[in-house]
Amino acid sequence: MENLGSRLAEYLNSKNLTEDYRRLLNNALNDPDVQQFLKENNDKINSDALSASAASIYEFYNNKHHKSELSKGYYPKLIVSNHNIEVAYYPNERTQNREKRSQYESSFVLMDMAPDIRKAKLDDYDGDGRQDALAQALDFIDNYLNSDTFTPGLFLAGDFGVGKTYLLGAIANELFKHDVRTTLMHFPTFAIEMKDSIGQNNVLSKVNKIKVADILMLDDIGADTMSSWIRDEVLGVILQYRMQENLPTFFSSNFSMQELEQHLAVNQRGEEEPVKAKRIMERVKYLSREVIVTGRNRRLNK
Ligand code: ADP
Ligand code: MG
């Protein structure tokens, strides 16, 4: 098995990196948390995506050492999502205590979201391949605020780095200005938390809190293989409730709806369950409209 750490070190010597970036990346690669992460996850990470991996490691290192106004109260952690290295943000103890008190009462719930997503604005959202998504986002907001009929959310499908999560954050921020509360969460991280909750017997209460959000956004759905349990008892239960209650729901995914159905049809053990996948997708299609987002990978050369 090829060693990702040494491939990243080689990448450091590539010609098109700026001197500053090379120096900072070198420090980042020598960080003990980064080394430990690479050691533990070497086999799970796509070793061809070197520049994307480097960008995530750089982001992690930067946020670990320099707290910006936005990342204050949160700590970054490297995770593997869809065979890529990503950075997730978790509230530190102080923030957790504060959030425990206010999270579900407050009008804005962002779970595990990066600092740049917290400040995302529709005004800054532009570029090729994204106009359709932007127009649909504005339509959604207008309909949601001004009409009494059910307004489906968006299913943003597109490649890694095209700005899907950013757009979700921007919509949530815009709705927040109108006192509408949005719950935006990284679905794979939520799934892991749910698995960890089994032993503590509070899965049901967590699912019940999430499912009632006025607006729910499930980011990066399909990035990991889902167990049948997560698919049917967690995701299925949440979507069923939201369909009955006509509650708008957003998704982002590297998959189109059709590809997601195929992905959901195979469970973690490799068993085929096409009927169950179809049932989930019927709910997804009721709750949201598919929009394909294209464009360059914004995680590179930002
Ligand atoms: P995806 O979710 O599609 O993988 P992200 O939303 O995480 O992509 O976007 C990748 C990076 O590009 C992020 O750092 C994000 O903040 C930035 N980004 C995306 N869209 C914009 C935009 N319109 N303006 C400024 N930054 C953006
Ligand atoms: Mg994303």
Side-chain angles (χ1 to χ4, degrees):
M1 177 53 63
E2 188 149 24
N3 183 307
L4 184 63
S6 56
R7 289 209 50 190
L8 279 164
E10 270 171 42
Y11 169 79
L12 265 186
N13 295 321
S14 71
K15 288 186 201 66
N16 51 8
L17 297 185
T18 66
E19 209 34 64
D20 269 0
Y21 187 56
R22 196 199 309 274
R23 188 170 44 78
L24 289 167
L25 200 51
N26 192 27
N27 293 343
L29 278 179
N30 287 317
D31 181 275
D33 287 339
V34 172
Q35 298 241 330
Q36 175 81 8
F37 172 82
L38 290 176
K39 209 166 90 194
E40 283 170 9
N41 297 286
N42 193 42
D43 298 351
K44 295 186 210 144
I45 297 161
N46 170 10
S47 61
D48 292 330
L50 283 180
S51 57
S53 295
S56 291
I57 288 172
Y58 176 73
E59 176 185 336
F60 167 80
Y61 183 78
N62 247 347
N63 280 294
K64 179 178 159 186
H65 291 282
H66 312 281
K67 289 280 168 230
S68 65
E69 199 47 45
L70 285 152
S71 62
K72 224 165 44 190
Y74 293 80
Y75 66 92
K77 195 169 182 299
L78 290 169
I79 58 166
V80 183
S81 173
N82 201 19
H83 305 290
N84 287 307
I85 302 180
E86 298 239 11
V87 189
Y89 292 82
Y90 295 91
N92 65 20
E93 211 174 323
R94 229 176 107 202
T95 309
Q96 251 175 26
N97 289 335
R98 202 176 52 228
E99 284 193 350
K100 245 181 232 148
R101 273 180 275 128
S102 68
Q103 198 167 58
Y104 295 102
E105 287 81 40
S106 79
S107 41
F108 196 27
V109 189
L110 277 178
M111 294 159 97
D112 314 322
M113 284 297 145
D116 54 350
I117 303 302
R118 291 171 192 274
K119 63 168 187 198
K121 283 204 222 84
L122 283 174
D123 292 347
D124 298 342
Y125 189 81
D126 61 347
D128 292 342
R130 304 184 176 87
Q131 289 308 324
D132 188 28
L134 176 61
Q136 302 232 30
L138 293 170
D139 261 5
F140 171 85
I141 294 167
D142 187 37
N143 280 332
Y144 184 77
L145 296 175
N146 300 312
S147 102
D148 291 333
T149 54
F150 170 59
T151 315
L154 304 180
F155 182 104
L156 302 176
D159 290 339
F160 181 77
V162 296
K164 302 180 298 294
T165 305
Y166 187 92
L167 180 56
L168 292 181
I171 296 170
N173 281 327
E174 185 61 33
L175 289 167
F176 178 56
K177 288 190 204 154
H178 299 274
D179 294 326
V180 177
R181 148 193 162 148
T182 299
T183 298
L184 166 53
M185 59 188 193
H186 185 242
F187 189 77
T189 310
F190 172 68
I192 293 169
E193 279 166 15
M194 286 300 104
K195 269 185 259 169
D196 292 345
S197 304
I198 297 177
Q200 302 157 21
N201 265 332
N202 54 1
V203 171
L204 201 62
S205 75
K206 283 191 178 164
V207 167
N208 284 343
K209 273 178 184 156
I210 298 295
K211 75 180 186 186
V212 300
D214 287 342
I215 309 257
L216 179 65
M217 297 179 167
L218 302 180
D219 190 33
D220 242 346
I221 194 152
D224 287 330
T225 349
M226 255 181 242
S227 65
S228 304
W229 180 73
I230 291 287
R231 183 193 57 204
D232 303 330
E233 305 303 323
V234 176
L235 181 61
V237 168
I238 291 172
L239 299 185
Q240 174 67 26
Y241 180 87
R242 299 188 67 78
M243 199 168 105
Q244 277 162 5
E245 300 295 320
N246 275 336
L247 295 168
T249 310
F250 288 69
F251 305 86
S252 89
S253 184
N254 287 5
F255 292 135
S256 65
M257 283 187 174
Q258 199 186 0
E259 289 164 340
L260 182 61
E261 178 161 343
Q262 286 162 6
H263 175 81
L264 292 173
V266 182
N267 73 9
Q268 227 171 11
R269 278 173 294 179
E271 297 155 352
E272 299 209 12
E273 300 176 316
V275 179
K276 298 233 163 116
K278 212 178 182 61
R279 278 186 67 195
I280 297 282
M281 288 314 295
E282 275 164 12
R283 297 167 193 170
V284 171
K285 285 175 191 162
Y286 178 86
L287 290 164
S288 67
R289 296 285 163 267
E290 184 176 41
V291 188
I292 308 292
V293 191
T294 58
R296 67 180 167 89
N297 183 346
R298 286 197 168 241
R299 297 190 197 206
L300 308 173
N301 315 316
K302 260 202 275 182

